[in-house]
Amino acid sequence: MTRRGRRPLLIGAVVLLCMGSLAISVTQISRYARFGTMRHIAAEIERDRPVSRELLEGTLPQMRLLLRDDVCQSEFVKAAVTVTLVRLDTQSPDVDYDNWSSALGEAETVVRFALHCLPSDGNFWVRYAMVRQAVGEQPEEIAKLVTLSQLYAPAEENTIAARFRLYNRLTKPSLTLAAAPLKADLAVVCSLKGAALRRRLPLANPVLAHEVLSYAQDCHLGRSLRDKTGR
């Protein structure tokens, strides 16, 4: 009798499990239908393939829907950040300030949402620092955001490369306050294992180059002339 009594409970548990799996599947299918185009365009960008401005603009409704419905699934959130920041890069305050300002506001909203969803993602912290630097560089704020990025992603090459692109934009006061994360990144970049990463980085501007040389005189960022010519 005891065994027979357990069977309905077991059957009920299996039914509930199947129903839960079905609900998750339906949710995922719905999300791919709504956000799949944005994810596809982000994947093209990450492969360094050209994406037209029209396609970037076409992702705006999906991005806004993602935020409205508070969808925190990482693959869609990361796609939204990628597409939104590239869209910002296509705008120029000198050519069309209003469109640039609007794109900058959208970018800040999306990256803040990404941090709400994934607060321990170091890449999102440096992206937020980039946006805030574009809004108006505040050295203490930038140093804090870069420090959080380095704390959460101390060795991820893509995130380190993003931080160096930011370092290359910063003024001397910001670089001075961000000395700790910069030195931690230089320890990775200037190591024996960092040769390939060094070649990926932009050539350092005079301000950043001075900081790099003060840490390691033989550490050169960016591809050398020999690397570029293949000689």
Side-chain angles (χ1 to χ4, degrees), residues 133 137-140 142-143 170-179:
Q133 194 267 343
E137 186 175 324
Q138 300 293 328
E140 291 185 359
I142 297 301
L170 297 181
T171 59
K172 175 67 174 177
S174 294
L175 278 177
T176 299
L177 290 179

Side-chain angles (χ1 to χ4, degrees), residues 102-124:
S102 175
L104 182 61
E106 293 270 13
E108 182 167 8
T109 298
V110 170
V111 179
R112 286 174 67 91
F113 172 75
L115 287 170
H116 150 72
C117 292
L118 300 165
S120 61
D121 190 307
N123 191 46
F124 289 158

